[in-house]
């Protein structure tokens, strides 16, 4: 019989100081965002950073593709500080260790991706490594990474080891495949070097656009760190979540369901919208977590439930699972109340009830966290939501979105879209809106809309089709991981994508 630890209690992690913002230990969970201005545009970047900070953001990240971009972070930092804003800045590095070294001279923290810091990323050129070759590749990492740690230590710069689902190296892929285990090992290789070098100012992130993969992998990472005596703080996020309600639900389910179990020290809600829009959503997630009952040292014994099959939506679906027990669970203890009413061997359907004073946005986040946690961890057989802030139709739509985010029931097209940054090669918000308008009726498909090659075929590894920025005014079209139309004019890209879907027989006939 599984047990559920009653109430919220933070996982204990080490403390990291990022330019005066402390994360981990007993410090509040910090909120992050990222600019989408060109990093070489000092004024625009500085102005956006200040706007983001004013919305309540604790840490702001910027992309740095080259050493020139990395050096300009110093100019941006000076411009921001001259205007009285002291928010710490983080450089985001992919494929370019030299840029990481340059950035460490300019900002308070540097994010590197283990999949491409030394390894070239997914080239698919070599997918078999002998033990000797594998060990030699690890030594290459050490040779490049240790001097970087030494520079960061000398300057008091923190680092983030940020693993993404779609950018594992060929070497990791050769041994683990595109799996949570591979993502965990990718992080652990770098963390072990940090431990060997006694470098402690480290934060880890391990992200995916698939909420199930993201939550499973973070939990695996926490368990592996505990086995190896590590307690580094964790940054949480569902990458490429998209926009609108879909993105907010996915983010709340993924981030919130981990925070419920005390996992997470800093978060980012990645929206394909203006960065300022991310902060209220993140704050709403944290507000709901703070409302949860506090841990009192007890645990709930949760009976094994027969929860096979596609979950139902209460009030929408007429046919209920055979033998189902339907329970009401009221805010703020929806999770504990639902689990306490589970009955052995019977499918559990949960009606989450939220008070009249909650706004529609608050209900959206709270229900996503509560019901998402139950769906991901206990496989409940049905969900419903009661709240006066939303109509019956809106509540049913929200329930379906939660089920889709947890991959328990697919009812519409899913869009995997990066939040945009200084690398983006087209107007991502406008493009995403056009793609959604043209394809929203394709039930069950996953379509990726990515601003550049970094967040391109790798990061949308879970998508059926992809629309990826290839250069200014140019786009590449993907079927899964296969590029079928390379570097075509942007005006031709959407018709080409639609035609590809039709050619594959996946466009509904009239």
């Amino acid at each position: 019989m599984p047990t559920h630890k009653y109430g919220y209690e933070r996982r204990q992690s080490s403390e990291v100081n990022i330019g005066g913002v402390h994360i981990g230990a007993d410090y509040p969970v910090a909120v992050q965002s990222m600019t989408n201005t060109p990093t070489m545009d000092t004024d625009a970047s500085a102005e956006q950073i200040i706007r983001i900070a004013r919305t309540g953001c604790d840490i702001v990240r910027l992309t740095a593709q080259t050493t020139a971009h990395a050096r300009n972070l110093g100019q941006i930092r000076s411009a921001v500080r001259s205007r009285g804003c002291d928010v710490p800045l983080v450089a985001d590095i992919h494929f370019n260790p030299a840029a990481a070294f340059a950035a460490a001279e300019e900002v308070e923290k540097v994010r590197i991706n283990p999949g491409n810091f030394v390894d070239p990323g997914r080239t698919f050129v070599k997918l078999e490594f002998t033990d000797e070759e594998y060990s030699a590749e690890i030594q290459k990492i050490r040779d490049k990474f240790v001097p970087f740690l030494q520079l960061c230590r000398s300057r008091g710069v923190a680092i983030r080891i940020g693993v993404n689902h779609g950018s594992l190296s060929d070497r990791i892929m050769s041994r683990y495949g595109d799996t949570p285990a591979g993502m965990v090992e990718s992080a652990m290789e770098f963390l072990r070097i940090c431990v060997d070098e006694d470098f402690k100012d480290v934060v880890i992130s391990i992200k995916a656009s698939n909420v199930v993969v993201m939550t499973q992998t973070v939990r695996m990472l926490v368990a592996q760190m505990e086995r190896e005596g590590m307690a580094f703080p964790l940054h949480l996020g569902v990458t490429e979540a998209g926009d609108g309600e879909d993105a907010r639900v996915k983010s709340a389910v993924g981030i919130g369901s981990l925070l419920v179990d005390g996992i997470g020290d800093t978060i980012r809600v990645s929206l394909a919208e203006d960065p300022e829009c991310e902060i209220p959503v993140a704050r709403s997630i944290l507000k709901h977590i703070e409302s949860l009952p506090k841990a009192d040292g007890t645990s709930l014994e949760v009976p094994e439930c027969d929860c096979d099959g596609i979950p139902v939506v209460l009030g929408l679906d007429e046919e209920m699972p055979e033998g189902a027990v339907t329970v009401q669970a009221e805010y703020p203890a929806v999770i504990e109340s639902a689990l306490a009413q589970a009955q052995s061997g019977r499918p559990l359907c949960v009606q989450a009830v939220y008070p009249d004073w909650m706004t529609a946005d608050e209900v959206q986040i709270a229900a996503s966290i509560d019901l998402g946690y139950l769906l991901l961890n206990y496989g409940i057989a049905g969900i419903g939501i009661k709240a006066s802030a939303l109509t019956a139709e809106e509540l049913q739509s929200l329930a379906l979105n939660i089920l889709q985010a947890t991959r328990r029931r697919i009812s519409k097209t899913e869009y995997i879209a990066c939040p945009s940054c200084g690398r983006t090669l087209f107007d991502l918000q406008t493009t995403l809106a056009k793609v959604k308008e043209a394809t929203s009726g394709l039930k069950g498909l996953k379509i990726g809309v990515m601003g550049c090659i970094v967040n391109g075929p790798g990061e949308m590894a879970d998508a059926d089709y992809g629309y990826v920025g290839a250069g200014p005014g140019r786009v590449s079209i993907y079927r899964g991981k296969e590029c079928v139309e390379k570097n075509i004019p942007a005006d031709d890209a959407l018709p080409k994508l639609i035609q590809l879907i039709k050619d594959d027989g996946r466009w509904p006939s009239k």
Side-chain angles (χ1 to χ4, degrees), residues 332-466:
V334 170
I335 295 169
E336 280 78 12
S337 176
L339 295 176
Q341 298 178 74
Q343 296 181 26
S344 183
R346 297 184 64 182
L348 177 64
C349 298
V350 178
Q351 182 86 275
V353 182
Y354 296 97
D356 292 345
W357 56 260
M358 291 184 79
T359 67
D361 289 344
E362 289 172 329
V363 171
Q364 179 189 81
I365 296 300
S368 298
I369 294 172
D370 293 335
L371 296 173
Y373 179 89
L374 292 167
L375 287 161
L376 287 171
N377 295 288
Y378 293 96
I380 59 176
I383 61 171
I385 307 165
K386 282 188 175 181
S388 62
L390 296 167
T391 66
E393 185 177 73
E394 289 170 334
L395 291 170
Q396 290 167 2
S397 175
L398 175 57
L400 287 170
N401 277 340
I402 295 169
L403 288 169
Q404 178 127 346
T406 58
R407 302 294 174 101
R408 295 289 308 281
R409 176 172 171 174
I410 305 301
S411 57
K412 61 182 181 180
T413 311
E414 179 177 346
Y415 296 93
I416 301 168
C418 65
S420 183
C421 69
R423 295 186 299 264
T424 302
L425 297 169
F426 52 77
D427 184 332
L428 194 134
Q429 292 182 44
T430 301
T431 301
L432 176 60
K434 290 179 179 178
V435 173
K436 291 177 76 170
E437 182 180 9
T439 62
S440 60
L442 306 177
K443 179 179 176 180
L445 284 189
K446 296 187 288 291
I447 298 175
V449 180
M450 300 295 177
C452 73
I453 196 65
V454 170
N455 284 331
E459 298 305 330
M460 63 174 194
D462 200 37
D464 299 298
Y465 298 96

Side-chain angles (χ1 to χ4, degrees), residues 209-478:
S209 60
N210 182 322
V211 171
V212 178
V213 171
M214 174 262 191
T215 54
Q216 288 178 347
T217 307
V218 171
R219 291 179 188 280
M220 286 179 62
L221 175 64
V222 169
Q224 186 61 37
M225 283 201 296
E226 289 177 352
R227 283 191 288 270
E228 299 191 31
M230 302 179 189
F232 294 108
L234 286 156
H235 172 71
L236 303 181
V238 177
T239 190
E240 285 86 49
D243 65 354
E245 179 174 280
D246 293 353
R248 285 159 174 78
V249 169
K250 284 179 71 173
S251 297
V253 170
I255 296 169
S257 63
L258 290 167
L259 289 172
V260 166
D261 283 336
I263 297 171
D265 303 282
T266 171
I267 67 173
R268 182 201 175 184
V269 174
S270 298
L271 301 180
E273 302 173 19
D274 293 337
E276 298 93 320
C277 297
E278 298 178 352
I279 312 308
V281 184
R283 291 293 175 194
S284 185
I285 291 172
L286 295 179
K287 180 180 178 182
H288 183 64
I289 295 299
E290 290 166 2
S291 76
L292 298 177
K294 300 301 182 284
D296 61 7
T298 63
S299 296
L300 294 172
E301 298 290 329
V302 183
E304 296 284 358
C305 298
D306 182 6
C307 300
D308 293 336
I310 298 174
V312 299
V313 174
L314 303 178
L316 176 64
D317 298 310
E318 295 181 2
E319 188 172 343
M320 298 294 291
E322 185 177 353
V325 54
T326 300
V327 302
Q328 286 207 4
E330 297 192 3
Y331 170 90
V334 170
I335 295 169
E336 280 78 12
S337 176
L339 295 176
Q341 298 178 74
Q343 296 181 26
S344 183
R346 297 184 64 182
L348 177 64
C349 298
V350 178
Q351 182 86 275
V353 182
Y354 296 97
D356 292 345
W357 56 260
M358 291 184 79
T359 67
D361 289 344
E362 289 172 329
V363 171
Q364 179 189 81
I365 296 300
S368 298
I369 294 172
D370 293 335
L371 296 173
Y373 179 89
L374 292 167
L375 287 161
L376 287 171
N377 295 288
Y378 293 96
I380 59 176
I383 61 171
I385 307 165
K386 282 188 175 181
S388 62
L390 296 167
T391 66
E393 185 177 73
E394 289 170 334
L395 291 170
Q396 290 167 2
S397 175
L398 175 57
L400 287 170
N401 277 340
I402 295 169
L403 288 169
Q404 178 127 346
T406 58
R407 302 294 174 101
R408 295 289 308 281
R409 176 172 171 174
I410 305 301
S411 57
K412 61 182 181 180
T413 311
E414 179 177 346
Y415 296 93
I416 301 168
C418 65
S420 183
C421 69
R423 295 186 299 264
T424 302
L425 297 169
F426 52 77
D427 184 332
L428 194 134
Q429 292 182 44
T430 301
T431 301
L432 176 60
K434 290 179 179 178
V435 173
K436 291 177 76 170
E437 182 180 9
T439 62
S440 60
L442 306 177
K443 179 179 176 180
L445 284 189
K446 296 187 288 291
I447 298 175
V449 180
M450 300 295 177
C452 73
I453 196 65
V454 170
N455 284 331
E459 298 305 330
M460 63 174 194
D462 200 37
D464 299 298
Y465 298 96
Y467 181 114
V468 180
R474 314 295 290 188
V475 172
S476 293
I477 302 297
Y478 284 76

Side-chain angles (χ1 to χ4, degrees), residues 102-123:
E105 303 274 0
E106 309 293 347
V107 293
E108 288 84 4
K109 180 181 171 187
V110 179
R111 178 272 174 104
I112 62 168
N113 183 339
N116 55 44
F117 183 73
V118 175
D119 293 304
R122 285 183 168 183
T123 64

Side-chain angles (χ1 to χ4, degrees), residues 138-185:
I138 297 293
Q139 186 59 47
K140 286 182 184 178
I141 292 174
R142 181 176 291 275
D143 292 343
K144 180 69 72 171
F145 189 45
V146 168
F148 177 66
L149 293 180
Q150 292 170 342
L151 173 62
C152 290
R153 191 199 312 272
S154 70
R155 297 191 57 79
V157 172
I159 69 169
R160 192 224 288 188
I161 296 172
V163 179
N164 282 1
H165 183 208
S167 56
L168 300 179
S169 68
D170 287 352
R171 180 178 52 77
I172 288 289
M173 290 282 289
S174 73
R175 187 156 295 189
Y176 297 91
D178 196 3
T179 64
M183 296 170 69
V184 170
E185 184 59 21

Side-chain angles (χ1 to χ4, degrees), residues 177-196:
D178 196 3
T179 64
M183 296 170 69
V184 170
E185 184 59 21
S186 184
M188 293 303 299
E189 287 177 350
F190 280 69
L191 288 178
R192 291 174 189 127
I193 297 173
C194 291
V195 171
D196 290 345

